[in-house]
Amino acid sequence: MNLQATTTLTLWQTIETLAAQLPFSTQNVGRTLSTTLSDTLAAGGNVFQFFEGSPVRLADGTELARIDLRIKREDASKGFLVLELKGRCVPLGEVRQHYAALEITDVPRGRSLDEATTFTATPDWGRLSFGFTERNPDCLAFVAFDPA
């Protein structure tokens, strides 16, 4: 039995919808992604509260393998959200069709196949980063939302 949630949104619609909801909240992110975000009670969570959602399959076959939302406990932060992807391969060319102005903001340093080359767009709300890991450098591994 497959308990994975599904949504009618594509990856690109999901990104646009989430960005339009800033600041992030567990309710809005959960509703958009058709999942419930639970507090992970992570160690070191005295600055941030960490929330995780169960996997979600998007309409275009992309899977959100892990949903990681962090919200600062003390101030009214806009949150930080990472979507880890699997399923359909999303190549850099497809990312560039949606976000043409990308700069490389991080590169692998040879310590792990999970290190990523990260391309970042700077929409008016902050930074939107797209990571391609060494393990599978031709396919998008994660999308990170870092509101300003």
Side-chain angles (χ1 to χ4, degrees):
M1 182 153 91
N2 188 354
L3 298 175
Q4 185 178 49
T6 59
T7 174
T8 58
L9 299 176
T10 66
L11 174 63
W12 306 109
Q13 291 167 331
T14 298
I15 291 170
E16 289 171 24
T17 303
L18 289 167
Q21 294 176 347
L22 292 168
F24 289 129
S25 71
T26 55
Q27 294 81 9
N28 287 348
V29 172
R31 190 168 35 252
T32 298
L33 300 178
S34 303
T35 188
T36 300
L37 295 166
S38 306
D39 191 328
T40 65
L41 306 172
N46 50 355
V47 175
F48 284 95
Q49 197 168 358
F50 297 89
F51 298 92
E52 242 178 64
S54 54
V56 175
R57 179 180 289 276
L58 302 180
D60 58 9
T62 309
E63 289 179 47
L64 305 180
R66 187 162 170 259
I67 300 159
D68 176 7
L69 174 64
R70 301 165 192 193
I71 298 177
K72 273 193 177 166
R73 292 182 185 274
E74 295 301 314
D75 63 30
S77 89
K78 292 178 168 65
F80 180 80
L81 177 66
V82 178
L83 305 176
E84 290 182 17
L85 307 183
K86 69 177 195 180
R88 181 177 80 90
C89 178
V90 179
L92 180 58
E94 184 177 332
V95 175
R96 287 192 188 280
Q97 288 172 8
H98 296 271
Y99 296 92
L102 292 172
E103 65 176 283
I104 294 177
T105 53
D106 198 14
V107 294
R109 292 175 175 74
R111 291 189 290 268
S112 161
L113 290 176
D114 294 319
E115 290 183 321
T117 300
T118 305
F119 298 85
T120 301
T122 48
D124 55 9
W125 54 262
R127 294 163 56 93
L128 181 63
S129 298
F130 300 91
F132 293 80
T133 61
E134 288 293 279
R135 186 176 307 282
N136 192 359
D138 297 327
C139 299
L140 181 61
F142 65 83
V143 179
F145 298 76
D146 189 3

